[in-house]
Amino acid sequence: MIEVESSTDAAHLKKLDHAPENLQLFRAELLAYVSLGVANAGCAGVFHVASPFPPGSVPNPEIDLIEPVVTGTLNAPKTLTEAPVRQVIVVTSPFAVPMPTTWPNDKILDETCWSNKVYCRTTRNCYCLAKTAAASEALEYGHKHNIQRIVDV
C-alpha cells in the first residue's frame, strides 16, 4: 500500500477544508480485494471512482474490460463486510443508463434504469456493458448482504 503523498492527481483533494487532519489517501489495486481491505481499514467512507476507459476497441472485451470493471467495482462494497466503513459511494457513468434510449421522458432515472446488456453486447458497446454490469451488480450485492449504505451516483 502506498500512501498518495506526492501525487498530482490528488492535489485538489488535499486543498479541501480540514483535509490535512482528516484525509488520508491510499493507492490500492482495485482487482486485489486484500489491498482494498487494508486501505479501507479505519475509514468512515469509501469513494469508488476508478474505471478503465479504453480509447478505442478492446481485443478481448470480456477479459480486458468487462471483468476488471465489474470485479474492481464489486470489491468496494465487499470491503464493507470486513471493515468499519459506513458508506461506499460508487460513481458510475451515464453509459450505465439506458442504451438504447427507450426510457420514458416523464420518468425519473433511478437504480432500476439500466442499459440493455443484450443491446450493448450486440452493438459491441463494451464500456457501456461493463459500467452497467458493475453498477447493477454492486447494488445487487448491497441488497443481498443487507448493506444499506451503497450509493450509486
Side-chain angles (χ1 to χ4, degrees), residues 29-107:
E29 174 55 52
L30 294 174
L31 300 179
Y33 174 77
V34 172
S35 78
L36 287 177
V38 171
N40 294 344
C43 293
V46 173
F47 288 84
H48 172 71
V49 298
S51 182
F53 186 86
S57 66
V58 178
N60 191 344
E62 289 292 331
I63 293 172
D64 298 333
L65 180 65
I66 297 166
E67 185 178 315
V69 170
V70 172
T71 300
T73 301
L74 280 175
N75 279 342
K78 285 180 179 179
T79 62
L80 285 172
T81 59
E82 295 180 14
V85 176
R86 293 191 305 263
Q87 186 165 343
V88 171
I89 308 294
V90 176
V91 178
T92 191
S93 165
F95 291 102
V97 187
M99 290 292 267
T101 54
T102 57
W103 197 258
N105 288 337
D106 61 341
K107 189 168 182 188

Side-chain angles (χ1 to χ4, degrees), residues 74 77 80 111-112 114 135-152:
L74 280 175
L80 285 172
E111 67 275 358
T112 64
W114 300 111
S136 61
E137 288 182 33
L139 286 173
E140 177 62 30
Y141 180 88
H143 294 306
K144 183 177 178 182
H145 292 87
N146 202 25
I147 299 171
Q148 303 297 318
R149 305 298 290 181
I150 296 178
V151 181
D152 179 35

Side-chain angles (χ1 to χ4, degrees), residues 115-134:
S115 289
N116 182 304
K117 292 178 188 177
V118 173
Y119 174 82
C120 292
R121 202 174 288 284
T122 302
T123 59
R124 298 179 186 223
N125 193 333
C126 298
Y127 182 74
C128 194
L129 176 60
K131 293 304 287 183
T132 301

